[in-house]
Amino acid sequence: DVKVTQSSRYLVKRTGEKVFLECVQDMDHENMFWYRQDPGLGLRLIYFSYDVKMKEKGDIPEGYSVSREKKERFSLILESASTNQTSMYLCASSLLNSYNEQFFGPGTRLTVL
Amino acid sequence: RKEVEQDPGPFNVPEGATVAFNCTYSNSASQSFFWYRQDCRKEPKLLMSVYSSGNEDGRFTAQLNRASQYISLLIRDSKLSDSATYLCVVNIGDNYGQNFVFGPGTRLSVLP
């Protein structure tokens, strides 16, 4: 059974803290993605990676960075968390071809106080 | 104009009803199309890919009209378990072919 896991389901942080969100997939997928989901806005792409150490900006990369040191792991970093980064964060992975479905992790609900 | 738009919903239908969702996309270069289902407080999961010739999976039928840039999802004989938010997803093909754009979703409630 394919699996994408995320390090936390719920996270509460304070403004200015550095936040790490971890995502691991066990399907040997080339692509990994980080989205945030907000009511009325749908899912928006923050960053994606198509290979180890490779990353591409999505629609809303400001305030975020990513790291992919191993194929199975993709980390999202909030260098200095702000209240407008309170959101649901979803990680996904897929095979290289754009016709392939994405598999999502269960999400991390981050609250920044 | 948003890149992917969907019926705002919510749709409240009785069990056994047929319900149709519509989705339009703005980028004519879009390459692949999907319907995902998202249950409350859960992650999205693929319901079906959408092919140019149209495709059917049990009670679900998806259609694509490239000329009109329009995708539809038809659910026949609705079940209580079909209650969820349905997301229209379009891959617009740029950015190494991995730019999946999600619609805002249409919420369906099937009532007993």
Side-chain angles (χ1 to χ4, degrees):
Chain A
D1 200 14
V2 298
K3 210 161 188 180
V4 179
T5 56
Q6 295 183 227
S7 49
S8 306
R9 290 301 303 272
Y10 300 93
L11 209 52
V12 179
K13 295 291 182 181
R14 296 205 174 272
T15 301
E17 282 193 81
K18 191 168 186 175
V19 182
F20 293 87
L21 302 183
E22 299 280 329
C23 175
V24 178
Q25 50 97 3
D26 66 359
M27 297 165 281
D28 201 34
H29 284 170
E30 292 86 2
N31 297 326
M32 295 188 75
F33 307 80
W34 274 107
Y35 294 90
R36 63 177 282 177
Q37 185 173 29
D38 301 287
L41 295 176
L43 274 81
R44 293 178 292 167
L45 181 65
I46 304 171
Y47 269 97
F48 89 94
S49 168
Y50 56 91
D51 201 354
V52 174
K53 297 192 186 296
M54 306 304 290
K55 61 185 179 184
E56 293 296 327
K57 292 180 180 179
D59 298 319
I60 50 165
E62 296 79 18
Y64 303 94
S65 62
V66 291
S67 172
R68 192 161 181 206
E69 296 296 319
K70 294 185 177 181
K71 188 176 185 180
E72 67 271 17
R73 190 179 295 268
F74 193 35
S75 303
L76 180 69
I77 303 146
L78 287 67
E79 295 290 342
S80 177
S82 62
T83 55
N84 63 13
Q85 293 179 308
T86 292
S87 186
M88 171 67 85
Y89 289 87
L90 288 158
C91 174
S93 72
S94 72
L95 290 168
L96 196 59
N97 189 296
S98 66
Y99 291 87
N100 287 291
E101 70 174 289
Q102 293 180 303
F103 294 87
F104 284 85
T108 297
R109 185 165 294 279
L110 172 67
T111 302
V112 182
L113 301 174
Chain B
R1 184 185 168 193
K2 291 182 181 176
E3 292 195 71
V4 178
E5 297 193 61
Q6 296 185 240
D7 291 331
F11 283 57
N12 298 314
V13 303
E15 271 188 288
T18 295
V19 60
F21 301 138
N22 299 316
C23 171
T24 56
Y25 60 95
S26 60
N27 192 319
S28 60
S30 298
Q31 297 182 350
S32 52
F33 310 89
F34 307 87
W35 283 102
Y36 277 72
R37 170 197 169 123
Q38 186 172 24
D39 294 296
C40 188
R41 299 185 184 281
K42 298 279 192 179
E43 71 273 21
K45 292 185 179 178
L46 181 70
L47 179 66
M48 55 200 305
S49 302
V50 187
Y51 305 117
S52 295
S53 53
N55 47 303
E56 189 173 309
D57 183 3
R59 298 180 293 108
F60 299 85
T61 301
Q63 302 248 313
L64 167 64
N65 184 323
R66 283 189 183 269
S68 302
Q69 296 179 199
Y70 167 92
I71 306 158
S72 65
L73 176 68
L74 184 76
I75 305 175
R76 290 181 298 277
D77 188 23
S78 300
K79 312 290 185 194
L80 295 176
S81 57
D82 294 334
S83 297
T85 297
Y86 290 82
L87 305 174
C88 176
V89 184
V90 174
N91 187 329
I92 63 176
D94 61 353
N95 214 358
Y96 296 86
Q98 297 302 327
N99 195 346
F100 292 88
V101 180
F102 286 74
T106 301
R107 190 155 56 90
L108 171 67
S109 292
V110 181
L111 308 172

